[in-house]
Amino acid sequence: TEILLGVSIVFRFSVFFLIKLPIGVTGLIWLVVTLVALSGLGIFFPDADWKRQLERYCTMVSSRLIAAAFTAVINIHHKENRAKLGCVCVANHTTPIDIVMLAVDNCFTLVGQKHGGFIGIIQHFCSLSQQHIWFERKIASDRRRVTNRLKEHLNISGNNPILIFPEGTCINNTSVFMFKKGCFELGATIHPVVIKYHREFADPYWNSQEQNMLTYLAMIMTSWAIVCDIDYLPPTTLKVGLVLSTCTVLRAWKEMSTCMFVSI
């Protein structure tokens, strides 16, 4: 057993990693190059439908390459409930690679905290051609600006669905925190998504207090596989006076029908 474990570690940190690293780098280069090129085209064709479709295609290709570098096995359920243009998609949040897992099957406008370092660089390039919304939690005026930008985005037909992680932080894949209600007050159709990782192969939870992003990615890429289930729950248009309640991922996974709603 100890010999097999030793061989496994050597294989994962040498051969396996060296195979996956070029795939991941190719995905990142593809993302950067295509978004820079599309930002140039955006000067001459800012609202062209073909440009938006090309952006979606390039983003999904990049996400699939990066997912391949993670040896991701993604099982998607109830595709008929996939978020459509002009809607809001909300999902539980375990790790930054949640975005990659979801972007394999769809293209989103992201809403999230501004970061520095490696994540900040990716955010910068993603914003060159796409209308993502980044904010600083500590600045009150940023919150108002985000709400206004979300409403403006939803008012333009043809815009990508907005992806929001209403918990506001990464959770350890066993439950969810109380949702922040702002995203449910936009008057748009809500598409809930449940992401469930199988920790038998790797634990994708990211503790930002203990790991920087590059160390975390190295851990992910030296794991055997990232196996997850993505379940698109039925879309819901909220009535006045209702907000999405906190519900555990496991309970939502069992029901596979709808998240709980309660009166406020």
Side-chain angles (χ1 to χ4, degrees):
T1 302
E2 292 179 355
I3 294 175
L4 288 176
L5 180 60
V7 172
S8 169
I9 293 173
V10 170
F11 180 80
R12 286 191 292 115
F13 281 82
S14 57
V15 178
F16 210 32
F17 180 71
L18 292 175
I19 291 173
K20 297 201 288 185
L21 182 60
I23 300 173
V25 171
T26 300
L28 287 175
I29 292 174
W30 171 268
L31 179 68
V32 170
V33 170
T34 54
L35 290 181
V36 169
L38 287 168
S39 68
L41 289 174
I43 298 174
F44 304 100
F45 309 100
D47 299 316
D49 288 338
W50 63 265
K51 175 180 169 290
R52 291 177 180 174
Q53 292 174 4
L54 188 57
E55 284 176 352
R56 295 181 189 119
Y57 172 79
C58 291
T59 302
M60 290 177 69
V61 169
S62 174
S63 298
R64 291 174 182 183
L65 285 169
I66 295 171
F70 298 153
T71 49
V73 180
I74 306 170
N75 305 305
I76 300 175
H77 308 270
H78 303 105
K79 287 188 177 183
E80 66 275 11
N81 295 326
R82 182 191 291 116
K84 298 176 176 58
L85 301 179
C87 297
V88 175
C89 178
V90 296
N92 57 297
H93 196 24
T94 303
T95 163
I97 68 172
D98 291 336
I99 297 168
V100 176
M101 301 297 108
L102 292 171
V104 163
D105 188 55
N106 205 346
C107 191
F108 299 94
T109 291
L110 305 177
V111 180
Q113 167 78 25
K114 285 182 181 177
H115 289 275
F118 181 75
I119 296 180
I121 294 172
I122 299 300
Q123 286 180 324
H124 170 73
F125 281 107
C126 287
S127 298
L128 288 178
S129 179
Q130 300 173 330
Q131 298 179 347
H132 302 297
I133 303 171
W134 313 120
F135 60 88
E136 293 285 357
R137 285 196 180 95
K138 296 180 181 179
I139 302 177
S141 60
D142 258 19
R143 298 176 186 176
R144 293 190 293 271
R145 180 181 61 83
V146 168
T147 300
N148 292 334
R149 285 195 61 189
L150 289 173
K151 291 179 179 179
E152 291 171 2
H153 183 90
L154 292 169
N155 286 333
I156 300 175
S157 61
N159 277 350
N160 290 333
I162 296 172
L163 175 61
I164 300 177
F165 300 108
E167 296 161 294
T169 187
C170 293
I171 310 300
N172 64 359
N173 200 32
T174 58
S175 61
V176 296
F177 279 8
M178 180 67 72
F179 288 170
K180 300 180 186 303
K181 65 179 182 178
C183 58
F184 304 106
E185 298 176 337
L186 299 171
T189 300
I190 303 293
H191 288 257
V193 180
V194 175
I195 307 172
K196 176 64 178 178
Y197 292 96
H198 296 266
R199 290 189 287 180
E200 298 92 338
F201 302 93
D203 185 359
Y205 172 58
W206 181 47
N207 187 335
S208 58
Q209 303 298 318
E210 298 180 359
Q211 291 176 304
N212 62 44
M213 192 61 192
L214 291 177
T215 302
Y216 171 78
L217 290 176
M219 181 198 74
I220 292 297
M221 293 181 69
T222 52
S223 300
W224 284 116
I226 300 297
V227 181
C228 76
D229 286 284
I230 294 176
D231 189 26
Y232 295 121
L233 303 181
T236 305
T237 301
L238 301 187
K239 298 179 180 179
V240 177
L242 295 179
V243 297
L244 192 66
S245 73
T246 300
C247 57
T248 65
V249 175
L250 296 178
R251 183 170 184 175
W253 186 250
K254 289 178 181 178
E255 292 178 354
M256 289 189 180
S257 57
T258 184
C259 283
M260 297 172 61
F261 285 79
V262 294
S263 298
I264 58 173

